[in-house]
Amino acid sequence: MTDSSAHPSGPVVVTGANGLVGSRVCRALAARGLTVRAVVRRAGTAPSVPGVLEWVGEFHDPEVAAAVTDGAGAVVSTVHPMGSDLDTQRRIGVEGTRTLARAAREAGVGRFVHVSTAAVYDRSPGVGAVTEAGVVAGDDGGDYPVTKRDTDQAIAEVDGLTAVLLRPPAILGAAESSVWNVLRPAAFRDDEQARHAVADGTFAWVHVDDLTALAADLADGTVIASSDPGRGPVEGRATPVNVAAGSAGERATQRDYYETLGRALGLAPVWDDAPAWTGHIAADRARAWGWSPSVGLRAALAEIEHGLRA
């Protein structure tokens, strides 16, 4: 079977090009010699590097979606209004991404790469390794997991689109908008309730640089398609893939993360005695596709601590 997604024949569209993941994807693709259409809401916020062309507009507007995907070779979708009200998350995250995915299919885009989340899975106490076949969150799972789950389903329902649903857990990495390097630490500092955690509970994570590397490999065709999802994305379908550092024998814990914040901010975590998930996110599929994380836990936590002390 011919892999129509390999070596994109046109520019790569990246939504959320000013965000933690999107900005790095833009830079990675440009460094590989590809032209990037960087979609942002505000002018002057896309990465200012050769090969990155800023495109100002709302990606979920049907006219913008049709225009930006016209002649494109691939799309990397990174936007979800996490923290917004449920209606906004549905309108932009679910319906907006569906609009973009449909436009990509109509434009003949070879591959649609969507940054989803491992939060779509049930990670209740007692659940062990979480694979791509894992049980997804129920309707009572919270606004963010449920709308991300529904976004994945909306993409999967776009017939004939070769899509990849990247499912990272906590994304670590330095940036003003980083949840785990900046926003959660700020809450830890300002709110005693945010210092509570179960010490032995799993802290599943991946560094943004490693997530970006896989997203770029998928967008530029380095990872070729296959009829077997264990070997590559399936053409004409949506293939989920977990992107997580560590393994069952390298499990990071809540203690690892919260003690890092405590050292940097001079505050003690509060350990709760409660059931917690102690499994791990299995990334065997990503590894079989040729992905291998390069940032270890010690380096990732040191980056957080350095940023908080600066």
Side-chain angles (χ1 to χ4, degrees), residues 2-12 29 32 34 73-76 109-113 162 164 212-226 231-233 235 289:
T2 301
D3 180 11
S4 61
S5 63
H7 309 299
S9 57
V12 179
L29 292 170
R32 301 180 187 198
L34 296 174
V75 172
V76 181
V109 168
R111 189 170 289 176
F112 190 95
V113 182
T162 301
V164 180
T212 295
L214 181 56
D217 282 349
L218 287 161
D220 76 359
T222 297
V223 180
I224 65 173
S226 172
R231 299 177 60 188
E235 285 208 71
W289 291 4

PDB file of all heavy atoms in Angstrom, residues 2-12 29 32 34 73-76 109-113 162 164 212-226 231-233 235 289:
ATOM      1  N   THR A   2       0.534   2.181  -0.848  1.00  0.00           N
ATOM      2  CA  THR A   2       1.276   3.429  -0.910  1.00  0.00           C
ATOM      3  C   THR A   2       0.967   4.274   0.309  1.00  0.00           C
ATOM      4  O   THR A   2      -0.195   4.417   0.706  1.00  0.00           O
ATOM      5  CB  THR A   2       0.902   4.225  -2.180  1.00  0.00           C
ATOM      6  OG1 THR A   2       1.184   3.434  -3.301  1.00  0.00           O
ATOM      7  CG2 THR A   2       1.671   5.520  -2.246  1.00  0.00           C
ATOM      8  N   ASP A   3       1.977   4.821   0.916  1.00  0.00           N
ATOM      9  CA  ASP A   3       1.790   5.674   2.089  1.00  0.00           C
ATOM     10  C   ASP A   3       1.644   7.112   1.630  1.00  0.00           C
ATOM     11  O   ASP A   3       2.618   7.819   1.405  1.00  0.00           O
ATOM     12  CB  ASP A   3       2.979   5.529   3.041  1.00  0.00           C
ATOM     13  CG  ASP A   3       2.811   6.404   4.278  1.00  0.00           C
ATOM     14  OD1 ASP A   3       1.704   6.940   4.465  1.00  0.00           O
ATOM     15  OD2 ASP A   3       3.787   6.543   5.031  1.00  0.00           O
ATOM     16  N   SER A   4       0.383   7.550   1.521  1.00  0.00           N
ATOM     17  CA  SER A   4       0.130   8.902   1.028  1.00  0.00           C
ATOM     18  C   SER A   4       0.517   9.966   2.036  1.00  0.00           C
ATOM     19  O   SER A   4       0.582  11.147   1.704  1.00  0.00           O
ATOM     20  CB  SER A   4      -1.365   9.052   0.698  1.00  0.00           C
ATOM     21  OG  SER A   4      -2.152   8.842   1.861  1.00  0.00           O
ATOM     22  N   SER A   5       0.771   9.561   3.295  1.00  0.00           N
ATOM     23  CA  SER A   5       1.098  10.554   4.321  1.00  0.00           C
ATOM     24  C   SER A   5       2.590  10.846   4.408  1.00  0.00           C
ATOM     25  O   SER A   5       3.003  11.802   5.044  1.00  0.00           O
ATOM     26  CB  SER A   5       0.594  10.057   5.684  1.00  0.00           C
ATOM     27  OG  SER A   5       1.260   8.878   6.043  1.00  0.00           O
ATOM     28  N   ALA A   6       3.434  10.016   3.796  1.00  0.00           N
ATOM     29  CA  ALA A   6       4.873  10.231   3.894  1.00  0.00           C
ATOM     30  C   ALA A   6       5.305  11.425   3.065  1.00  0.00           C
ATOM     31  O   ALA A   6       4.772  11.680   1.995  1.00  0.00           O
ATOM     32  CB  ALA A   6       5.610   8.984   3.431  1.00  0.00           C
ATOM     33  N   HIS A   7       6.264  12.181   3.587  1.00  0.00           N
ATOM     34  CA  HIS A   7       6.825  13.326   2.873  1.00  0.00           C
ATOM     35  C   HIS A   7       5.719  14.272   2.406  1.00  0.00           C
ATOM     36  O   HIS A   7       5.318  14.251   1.244  1.00  0.00           O
ATOM     37  CB  HIS A   7       7.664  12.854   1.680  1.00  0.00           C
ATOM     38  CG  HIS A   7       8.664  11.809   2.052  1.00  0.00           C
ATOM     39  ND1 HIS A   7       9.663  12.039   2.958  1.00  0.00           N
ATOM     40  CD2 HIS A   7       8.787  10.517   1.666  1.00  0.00           C
ATOM     41  CE1 HIS A   7      10.384  10.934   3.103  1.00  0.00           C
ATOM     42  NE2 HIS A   7       9.869   9.999   2.346  1.00  0.00           N
ATOM     43  N   PRO A   8       5.163  15.099   3.303  1.00  0.00           N
ATOM     44  CA  PRO A   8       4.035  15.963   2.946  1.00  0.00           C
ATOM     45  C   PRO A   8       4.340  16.809   1.719  1.00  0.00           C
ATOM     46  O   PRO A   8       5.426  17.371   1.587  1.00  0.00           O
ATOM     47  CB  PRO A   8       3.844  16.824   4.195  1.00  0.00           C
ATOM     48  CG  PRO A   8       5.104  16.701   4.980  1.00  0.00           C
ATOM     49  CD  PRO A   8       5.646  15.353   4.666  1.00  0.00           C
ATOM     50  N   SER A   9       3.361  16.869   0.819  1.00  0.00           N
ATOM     51  CA  SER A   9       3.554  17.570  -0.450  1.00  0.00           C
ATOM     52  C   SER A   9       3.308  19.062  -0.332  1.00  0.00           C
ATOM     53  O   SER A   9       3.504  19.805  -1.298  1.00  0.00           O
ATOM     54  CB  SER A   9       2.607  16.979  -1.502  1.00  0.00           C
ATOM     55  OG  SER A   9       1.258  17.072  -1.063  1.00  0.00           O
ATOM     56  N   GLY A  10       2.853  19.526   0.811  1.00  0.00           N
ATOM     57  CA  GLY A  10       2.594  20.943   1.013  1.00  0.00           C
ATOM     58  C   GLY A  10       2.958  21.362   2.415  1.00  0.00           C
ATOM     59  O   GLY A  10       3.517  20.581   3.195  1.00  0.00           O
ATOM     60  N   PRO A  11       2.634  22.590   2.784  1.00  0.00           N
ATOM     61  CA  PRO A  11       2.949  23.085   4.122  1.00  0.00           C
ATOM     62  C   PRO A  11       2.253  22.268   5.203  1.00  0.00           C
ATOM     63  O   PRO A  11       1.258  21.588   4.953  1.00  0.00           O
ATOM     64  CB  PRO A  11       2.404  24.518   4.099  1.00  0.00           C
ATOM     65  CG  PRO A  11       2.289  24.872   2.651  1.00  0.00           C
ATOM     66  CD  PRO A  11       1.970  23.603   1.940  1.00  0.00           C
ATOM     67  N   VAL A  12       2.792  22.350   6.406  1.00  0.00           N
ATOM     68  CA  VAL A  12       2.166  21.708   7.566  1.00  0.00           C
ATOM     69  C   VAL A  12       1.455  22.788   8.371  1.00  0.00           C
ATOM     70  O   VAL A  12       2.051  23.800   8.735  1.00  0.00           O
ATOM     71  CB  VAL A  12       3.201  20.993   8.445  1.00  0.00           C
ATOM     72  CG1 VAL A  12       2.513  20.365   9.663  1.00  0.00           C
ATOM     73  CG2 VAL A  12       3.944  19.929   7.649  1.00  0.00           C
ATOM     74  N   LEU A  29       9.552  21.469  12.851  1.00  0.00           N
ATOM     75  CA  LEU A  29       9.260  21.235  11.437  1.00  0.00           C
ATOM     76  C   LEU A  29      10.049  22.196  10.545  1.00  0.00           C
ATOM     77  O   LEU A  29      10.569  21.804   9.493  1.00  0.00           O
ATOM     78  CB  LEU A  29       7.758  21.392  11.183  1.00  0.00           C
ATOM     79  CG  LEU A  29       6.881  20.308  11.814  1.00  0.00           C
ATOM     80  CD1 LEU A  29       5.409  20.693  11.700  1.00  0.00           C
ATOM     81  CD2 LEU A  29       7.123  18.956  11.153  1.00  0.00           C
ATOM     82  N   ARG A  32      13.475  21.150   9.936  1.00  0.00           N
ATOM     83  CA  ARG A  32      13.584  20.054   8.976  1.00  0.00           C
ATOM     84  C   ARG A  32      13.364  20.514   7.545  1.00  0.00           C
ATOM     85  O   ARG A  32      13.307  19.711   6.620  1.00  0.00           O
ATOM     86  CB  ARG A  32      12.571  18.963   9.330  1.00  0.00           C
ATOM     87  CG  ARG A  32      12.764  18.386  10.725  1.00  0.00           C
ATOM     88  CD  ARG A  32      11.739  17.296  11.039  1.00  0.00           C
ATOM     89  NE  ARG A  32      11.849  16.878  12.443  1.00  0.00           N
ATOM     90  CZ  ARG A  32      11.353  15.752  12.921  1.00  0.00           C
ATOM     91  NH1 ARG A  32      10.693  14.917  12.115  1.00  0.00           N
ATOM     92  NH2 ARG A  32      11.486  15.437  14.191  1.00  0.00           N
ATOM     93  N   LEU A  34      10.704  22.253   6.382  1.00  0.00           N
ATOM     94  CA  LEU A  34       9.304  22.309   5.962  1.00  0.00           C
ATOM     95  C   LEU A  34       8.734  23.707   6.167  1.00  0.00           C
ATOM     96  O   LEU A  34       9.151  24.441   7.070  1.00  0.00           O
ATOM     97  CB  LEU A  34       8.475  21.298   6.744  1.00  0.00           C
ATOM     98  CG  LEU A  34       8.824  19.827   6.513  1.00  0.00           C
ATOM     99  CD1 LEU A  34       8.030  18.951   7.456  1.00  0.00           C
ATOM    100  CD2 LEU A  34       8.546  19.438   5.071  1.00  0.00           C
ATOM    101  N   GLY A  73      -0.043  19.656   3.429  1.00  0.00           N
ATOM    102  CA  GLY A  73       0.326  18.250   3.414  1.00  0.00           C
ATOM    103  C   GLY A  73      -0.013  17.532   4.693  1.00  0.00           C
ATOM    104  O   GLY A  73      -0.222  16.317   4.705  1.00  0.00           O
ATOM    105  N   ALA A  74      -0.074  18.279   5.816  1.00  0.00           N
ATOM    106  CA  ALA A  74      -0.379  17.679   7.116  1.00  0.00           C
ATOM    107  C   ALA A  74      -0.902  18.767   8.041  1.00  0.00           C
ATOM    108  O   ALA A  74      -0.714  19.962   7.787  1.00  0.00           O
ATOM    109  CB  ALA A  74       0.858  17.015   7.718  1.00  0.00           C
ATOM    110  N   VAL A  75      -1.564  18.333   9.102  1.00  0.00           N
ATOM    111  CA  VAL A  75      -2.068  19.242  10.127  1.00  0.00           C
ATOM    112  C   VAL A  75      -1.655  18.708  11.487  1.00  0.00           C
ATOM    113  O   VAL A  75      -1.745  17.502  11.738  1.00  0.00           O
ATOM    114  CB  VAL A  75      -3.612  19.366  10.076  1.00  0.00           C
ATOM    115  CG1 VAL A  75      -4.139  20.156  11.277  1.00  0.00           C
ATOM    116  CG2 VAL A  75      -4.074  20.009   8.776  1.00  0.00           C
ATOM    117  N   VAL A  76      -1.197  19.602  12.367  1.00  0.00           N
ATOM    118  CA  VAL A  76      -0.956  19.258  13.766  1.00  0.00           C
ATOM    119  C   VAL A  76      -1.871  20.148  14.600  1.00  0.00           C
ATOM    120  O   VAL A  76      -1.738  21.370  14.610  1.00  0.00           O
ATOM    121  CB  VAL A  76       0.510  19.466  14.181  1.00  0.00           C
ATOM    122  CG1 VAL A  76       0.701  19.067  15.650  1.00  0.00           C
ATOM    123  CG2 VAL A  76       1.445  18.662  13.283  1.00  0.00           C
ATOM    124  N   VAL A 109      -5.547  16.434   2.793  1.00  0.00           N
ATOM    125  CA  VAL A 109      -4.373  16.425   3.676  1.00  0.00           C
ATOM    126  C   VAL A 109      -3.980  14.983   3.989  1.00  0.00           C
ATOM    127  O   VAL A 109      -4.832  14.148   4.296  1.00  0.00           O
ATOM    128  CB  VAL A 109      -4.677  17.208   4.968  1.00  0.00           C
ATOM    129  CG1 VAL A 109      -3.596  16.978   6.023  1.00  0.00           C
ATOM    130  CG2 VAL A 109      -4.810  18.702   4.657  1.00  0.00           C
ATOM    131  N   GLY A 110      -2.683  14.698   3.927  1.00  0.00           N
ATOM    132  CA  GLY A 110      -2.214  13.332   4.107  1.00  0.00           C
ATOM    133  C   GLY A 110      -2.328  12.814   5.514  1.00  0.00           C
ATOM    134  O   GLY A 110      -2.597  11.628   5.730  1.00  0.00           O
ATOM    135  N   ARG A 111      -2.135  13.680   6.508  1.00  0.00           N
ATOM    136  CA  ARG A 111      -2.160  13.200   7.890  1.00  0.00           C
ATOM    137  C   ARG A 111      -2.595  14.309   8.831  1.00  0.00           C
ATOM    138  O   ARG A 111      -2.194  15.461   8.682  1.00  0.00           O
ATOM    139  CB  ARG A 111      -0.790  12.669   8.304  1.00  0.00           C
ATOM    140  CG  ARG A 111      -0.801  11.965   9.655  1.00  0.00           C
ATOM    141  CD  ARG A 111       0.504  11.256   9.919  1.00  0.00           C
ATOM    142  NE  ARG A 111       0.661  10.080   9.068  1.00  0.00           N
ATOM    143  CZ  ARG A 111       1.752   9.331   9.049  1.00  0.00           C
ATOM    144  NH1 ARG A 111       2.783   9.659   9.811  1.00  0.00           N
ATOM    145  NH2 ARG A 111       1.822   8.282   8.260  1.00  0.00           N
ATOM    146  N   PHE A 112      -3.417  13.932   9.794  1.00  0.00           N
ATOM    147  CA  PHE A 112      -3.939  14.855  10.805  1.00  0.00           C
ATOM    148  C   PHE A 112      -3.456  14.364  12.162  1.00  0.00           C
ATOM    149  O   PHE A 112      -3.844  13.293  12.623  1.00  0.00           O
ATOM    150  CB  PHE A 112      -5.470  14.861  10.754  1.00  0.00           C
ATOM    151  CG  PHE A 112      -6.137  15.935  11.575  1.00  0.00           C
ATOM    152  CD1 PHE A 112      -6.504  17.137  10.996  1.00  0.00           C
ATOM    153  CD2 PHE A 112      -6.406  15.730  12.923  1.00  0.00           C
ATOM    154  CE1 PHE A 112      -7.142  18.122  11.742  1.00  0.00           C
ATOM    155  CE2 PHE A 112      -7.035  16.701  13.684  1.00  0.00           C
ATOM    156  CZ  PHE A 112      -7.417  17.902  13.088  1.00  0.00           C
ATOM    157  N   VAL A 113      -2.592  15.134  12.813  1.00  0.00           N
ATOM    158  CA  VAL A 113      -2.008  14.757  14.105  1.00  0.00           C
ATOM    159  C   VAL A 113      -2.648  15.622  15.180  1.00  0.00           C
ATOM    160  O   VAL A 113      -2.556  16.846  15.140  1.00  0.00           O
ATOM    161  CB  VAL A 113      -0.483  14.960  14.112  1.00  0.00           C
ATOM    162  CG1 VAL A 113       0.107  14.525  15.449  1.00  0.00           C
ATOM    163  CG2 VAL A 113       0.166  14.197  12.957  1.00  0.00           C
ATOM    164  N   THR A 162      -6.602  10.092   7.645  1.00  0.00           N
ATOM    165  CA  THR A 162      -5.552   9.397   8.388  1.00  0.00           C
ATOM    166  C   THR A 162      -5.156  10.297   9.554  1.00  0.00           C
ATOM    167  O   THR A 162      -4.515  11.333   9.373  1.00  0.00           O
ATOM    168  CB  THR A 162      -4.332   9.112   7.502  1.00  0.00           C
ATOM    169  OG1 THR A 162      -4.734   8.308   6.389  1.00  0.00           O
ATOM    170  CG2 THR A 162      -3.258   8.372   8.288  1.00  0.00           C
ATOM    171  N   VAL A 164      -3.837  10.697  13.786  1.00  0.00           N
ATOM    172  CA  VAL A 164      -3.129  10.125  14.930  1.00  0.00           C
ATOM    173  C   VAL A 164      -3.534  10.921  16.160  1.00  0.00           C
ATOM    174  O   VAL A 164      -3.462  12.154  16.169  1.00  0.00           O
ATOM    175  CB  VAL A 164      -1.607  10.170  14.748  1.00  0.00           C
ATOM    176  CG1 VAL A 164      -0.911   9.561  15.958  1.00  0.00           C
ATOM    177  CG2 VAL A 164      -1.185   9.447  13.477  1.00  0.00           C
ATOM    178  N   THR A 212       7.032  16.646  21.219  1.00  0.00           N
ATOM    179  CA  THR A 212       7.202  17.396  19.981  1.00  0.00           C
ATOM    180  C   THR A 212       7.912  16.563  18.920  1.00  0.00           C
ATOM    181  O   THR A 212       7.546  16.615  17.731  1.00  0.00           O
ATOM    182  CB  THR A 212       8.002  18.683  20.258  1.00  0.00           C
ATOM    183  OG1 THR A 212       7.244  19.526  21.116  1.00  0.00           O
ATOM    184  CG2 THR A 212       8.337  19.425  18.978  1.00  0.00           C
ATOM    185  N   ALA A 213       8.904  15.814  19.326  1.00  0.00           N
ATOM    186  CA  ALA A 213       9.663  15.007  18.368  1.00  0.00           C
ATOM    187  C   ALA A 213       8.759  14.003  17.666  1.00  0.00           C
ATOM    188  O   ALA A 213       8.847  13.821  16.443  1.00  0.00           O
ATOM    189  CB  ALA A 213      10.812  14.290  19.080  1.00  0.00           C
ATOM    190  N   LEU A 214       7.872  13.350  18.415  1.00  0.00           N
ATOM    191  CA  LEU A 214       6.970  12.384  17.785  1.00  0.00           C
ATOM    192  C   LEU A 214       5.954  13.091  16.903  1.00  0.00           C
ATOM    193  O   LEU A 214       5.657  12.620  15.795  1.00  0.00           O
ATOM    194  CB  LEU A 214       6.259  11.539  18.846  1.00  0.00           C
ATOM    195  CG  LEU A 214       5.298  10.481  18.291  1.00  0.00           C
ATOM    196  CD1 LEU A 214       6.004   9.544  17.310  1.00  0.00           C
ATOM    197  CD2 LEU A 214       4.662   9.685  19.422  1.00  0.00           C
ATOM    198  N   ALA A 215       5.417  14.215  17.361  1.00  0.00           N
ATOM    199  CA  ALA A 215       4.453  14.952  16.540  1.00  0.00           C
ATOM    200  C   ALA A 215       5.078  15.355  15.209  1.00  0.00           C
ATOM    201  O   ALA A 215       4.451  15.242  14.147  1.00  0.00           O
ATOM    202  CB  ALA A 215       3.957  16.188  17.295  1.00  0.00           C
ATOM    203  N   ALA A 216       6.327  15.813  15.245  1.00  0.00           N
ATOM    204  CA  ALA A 216       7.011  16.217  14.015  1.00  0.00           C
ATOM    205  C   ALA A 216       7.288  15.018  13.118  1.00  0.00           C
ATOM    206  O   ALA A 216       7.140  15.092  11.884  1.00  0.00           O
ATOM    207  CB  ALA A 216       8.310  16.947  14.353  1.00  0.00           C
ATOM    208  N   ASP A 217       7.695  13.898  13.708  1.00  0.00           N
ATOM    209  CA  ASP A 217       7.952  12.685  12.926  1.00  0.00           C
ATOM    210  C   ASP A 217       6.689  12.200  12.228  1.00  0.00           C
ATOM    211  O   ASP A 217       6.737  11.661  11.119  1.00  0.00           O
ATOM    212  CB  ASP A 217       8.495  11.573  13.820  1.00  0.00           C
ATOM    213  CG  ASP A 217       9.969  11.736  14.160  1.00  0.00           C
ATOM    214  OD1 ASP A 217      10.641  12.586  13.539  1.00  0.00           O
ATOM    215  OD2 ASP A 217      10.450  11.005  15.049  1.00  0.00           O
ATOM    216  N   LEU A 218       5.551  12.369  12.880  1.00  0.00           N
ATOM    217  CA  LEU A 218       4.284  11.968  12.275  1.00  0.00           C
ATOM    218  C   LEU A 218       3.879  12.935  11.171  1.00  0.00           C
ATOM    219  O   LEU A 218       3.411  12.534  10.108  1.00  0.00           O
ATOM    220  CB  LEU A 218       3.197  11.889  13.350  1.00  0.00           C
ATOM    221  CG  LEU A 218       3.310  10.701  14.287  1.00  0.00           C
ATOM    222  CD1 LEU A 218       2.511  10.940  15.566  1.00  0.00           C
ATOM    223  CD2 LEU A 218       2.829   9.425  13.589  1.00  0.00           C
ATOM    224  N   ALA A 219       4.059  14.224  11.423  1.00  0.00           N
ATOM    225  CA  ALA A 219       3.640  15.221  10.447  1.00  0.00           C
ATOM    226  C   ALA A 219       4.492  15.192   9.185  1.00  0.00           C
ATOM    227  O   ALA A 219       3.979  15.433   8.080  1.00  0.00           O
ATOM    228  CB  ALA A 219       3.682  16.618  11.067  1.00  0.00           C
ATOM    229  N   ASP A 220       5.786  14.904   9.321  1.00  0.00           N
ATOM    230  CA  ASP A 220       6.647  14.945   8.134  1.00  0.00           C
ATOM    231  C   ASP A 220       6.791  13.586   7.458  1.00  0.00           C
ATOM    232  O   ASP A 220       7.532  13.439   6.487  1.00  0.00           O
ATOM    233  CB  ASP A 220       8.017  15.543   8.465  1.00  0.00           C
ATOM    234  CG  ASP A 220       8.957  14.597   9.211  1.00  0.00           C
ATOM    235  OD1 ASP A 220       8.568  13.446   9.506  1.00  0.00           O
ATOM    236  OD2 ASP A 220      10.091  15.018   9.512  1.00  0.00           O
ATOM    237  N   GLY A 221       6.082  12.566   7.981  1.00  0.00           N
ATOM    238  CA  GLY A 221       6.095  11.263   7.324  1.00  0.00           C
ATOM    239  C   GLY A 221       7.229  10.364   7.721  1.00  0.00           C
ATOM    240  O   GLY A 221       7.378   9.278   7.152  1.00  0.00           O
ATOM    241  N   THR A 222       8.037  10.754   8.716  1.00  0.00           N
ATOM    242  CA  THR A 222       9.100   9.869   9.185  1.00  0.00           C
ATOM    243  C   THR A 222       8.503   8.553   9.689  1.00  0.00           C
ATOM    244  O   THR A 222       9.055   7.473   9.460  1.00  0.00           O
ATOM    245  CB  THR A 222       9.908  10.551  10.301  1.00  0.00           C
ATOM    246  OG1 THR A 222      10.549  11.717   9.764  1.00  0.00           O
ATOM    247  CG2 THR A 222      10.969   9.619  10.863  1.00  0.00           C
ATOM    248  N   VAL A 223       7.388   8.660  10.400  1.00  0.00           N
ATOM    249  CA  VAL A 223       6.655   7.466  10.834  1.00  0.00           C
ATOM    250  C   VAL A 223       5.660   7.121   9.727  1.00  0.00           C
ATOM    251  O   VAL A 223       4.724   7.871   9.478  1.00  0.00           O
ATOM    252  CB  VAL A 223       5.905   7.703  12.156  1.00  0.00           C
ATOM    253  CG1 VAL A 223       5.142   6.432  12.568  1.00  0.00           C
ATOM    254  CG2 VAL A 223       6.866   8.132  13.254  1.00  0.00           C
ATOM    255  N   ILE A 224       5.893   6.003   9.049  1.00  0.00           N
ATOM    256  CA  ILE A 224       5.049   5.666   7.911  1.00  0.00           C
ATOM    257  C   ILE A 224       3.808   4.905   8.359  1.00  0.00           C
ATOM    258  O   ILE A 224       3.757   4.328   9.440  1.00  0.00           O
ATOM    259  CB  ILE A 224       5.827   4.852   6.853  1.00  0.00           C
ATOM    260  CG1 ILE A 224       6.253   3.490   7.418  1.00  0.00           C
ATOM    261  CG2 ILE A 224       7.033   5.644   6.358  1.00  0.00           C
ATOM    262  CD1 ILE A 224       6.862   2.579   6.365  1.00  0.00           C
ATOM    263  N   ALA A 225       2.806   4.907   7.494  1.00  0.00           N
ATOM    264  CA  ALA A 225       1.542   4.242   7.792  1.00  0.00           C
ATOM    265  C   ALA A 225       1.689   2.729   7.670  1.00  0.00           C
ATOM    266  O   ALA A 225       2.625   2.212   7.058  1.00  0.00           O
ATOM    267  CB  ALA A 225       0.448   4.750   6.858  1.00  0.00           C
ATOM    268  N   SER A 226       0.736   2.028   8.272  1.00  0.00           N
ATOM    269  CA  SER A 226       0.729   0.579   8.244  1.00  0.00           C
ATOM    270  C   SER A 226      -0.709   0.096   8.380  1.00  0.00           C
ATOM    271  O   SER A 226      -1.572   0.830   8.884  1.00  0.00           O
ATOM    272  CB  SER A 226       1.585   0.010   9.386  1.00  0.00           C
ATOM    273  OG  SER A 226       1.447  -1.394   9.484  1.00  0.00           O
ATOM    274  N   ARG A 231       2.458  -1.057  14.219  1.00  0.00           N
ATOM    275  CA  ARG A 231       3.640  -0.713  13.420  1.00  0.00           C
ATOM    276  C   ARG A 231       3.601   0.709  12.871  1.00  0.00           C
ATOM    277  O   ARG A 231       4.626   1.252  12.462  1.00  0.00           O
ATOM    278  CB  ARG A 231       3.768  -1.701  12.259  1.00  0.00           C
ATOM    279  CG  ARG A 231       3.945  -3.145  12.707  1.00  0.00           C
ATOM    280  CD  ARG A 231       3.993  -4.096  11.537  1.00  0.00           C
ATOM    281  NE  ARG A 231       5.090  -3.786  10.633  1.00  0.00           N
ATOM    282  CZ  ARG A 231       5.267  -4.373   9.446  1.00  0.00           C
ATOM    283  NH1 ARG A 231       4.395  -5.294   9.030  1.00  0.00           N
ATOM    284  NH2 ARG A 231       6.296  -4.059   8.694  1.00  0.00           N
ATOM    285  N   GLY A 232       2.417   1.319  12.835  1.00  0.00           N
ATOM    286  CA  GLY A 232       2.304   2.674  12.327  1.00  0.00           C
ATOM    287  C   GLY A 232       0.852   3.086  12.231  1.00  0.00           C
ATOM    288  O   GLY A 232      -0.064   2.260  12.381  1.00  0.00           O
ATOM    289  N   PRO A 233       0.594   4.365  11.979  1.00  0.00           N
ATOM    290  CA  PRO A 233      -0.785   4.842  11.851  1.00  0.00           C
ATOM    291  C   PRO A 233      -1.508   4.121  10.710  1.00  0.00           C
ATOM    292  O   PRO A 233      -0.922   3.853   9.668  1.00  0.00           O
ATOM    293  CB  PRO A 233      -0.610   6.330  11.537  1.00  0.00           C
ATOM    294  CG  PRO A 233       0.767   6.671  11.991  1.00  0.00           C
ATOM    295  CD  PRO A 233       1.586   5.433  11.791  1.00  0.00           C
ATOM    296  N   GLU A 235      -3.951   3.996   7.666  1.00  0.00           N
ATOM    297  CA  GLU A 235      -4.463   4.951   6.690  1.00  0.00           C
ATOM    298  C   GLU A 235      -5.978   4.977   6.694  1.00  0.00           C
ATOM    299  O   GLU A 235      -6.643   3.928   6.759  1.00  0.00           O
ATOM    300  CB  GLU A 235      -3.949   4.605   5.289  1.00  0.00           C
ATOM    301  CG  GLU A 235      -2.487   4.961   5.083  1.00  0.00           C
ATOM    302  CD  GLU A 235      -2.182   5.274   3.633  1.00  0.00           C
ATOM    303  OE1 GLU A 235      -2.626   6.342   3.162  1.00  0.00           O
ATOM    304  OE2 GLU A 235      -1.518   4.457   2.987  1.00  0.00           O
ATOM    305  N   TRP A 289       6.871   2.462  16.932  1.00  0.00           N
ATOM    306  CA  TRP A 289       6.875   3.375  15.778  1.00  0.00           C
ATOM    307  C   TRP A 289       8.223   4.096  15.635  1.00  0.00           C
ATOM    308  O   TRP A 289       8.400   4.900  14.733  1.00  0.00           O
ATOM    309  CB  TRP A 289       5.781   4.423  15.922  1.00  0.00           C
ATOM    310  CG  TRP A 289       4.385   3.893  15.797  1.00  0.00           C
ATOM    311  CD1 TRP A 289       3.989   2.596  15.653  1.00  0.00           C
ATOM    312  CD2 TRP A 289       3.181   4.673  15.802  1.00  0.00           C
ATOM    313  NE1 TRP A 289       2.624   2.513  15.574  1.00  0.00           N
ATOM    314  CE2 TRP A 289       2.101   3.765  15.658  1.00  0.00           C
ATOM    315  CE3 TRP A 289       2.908   6.033  15.902  1.00  0.00           C
ATOM    316  CZ2 TRP A 289       0.769   4.191  15.615  1.00  0.00           C
ATOM    317  CZ3 TRP A 289       1.587   6.460  15.872  1.00  0.00           C
ATOM    318  CH2 TRP A 289       0.530   5.546  15.721  1.00  0.00           C
TER     319      TRP A 289
END
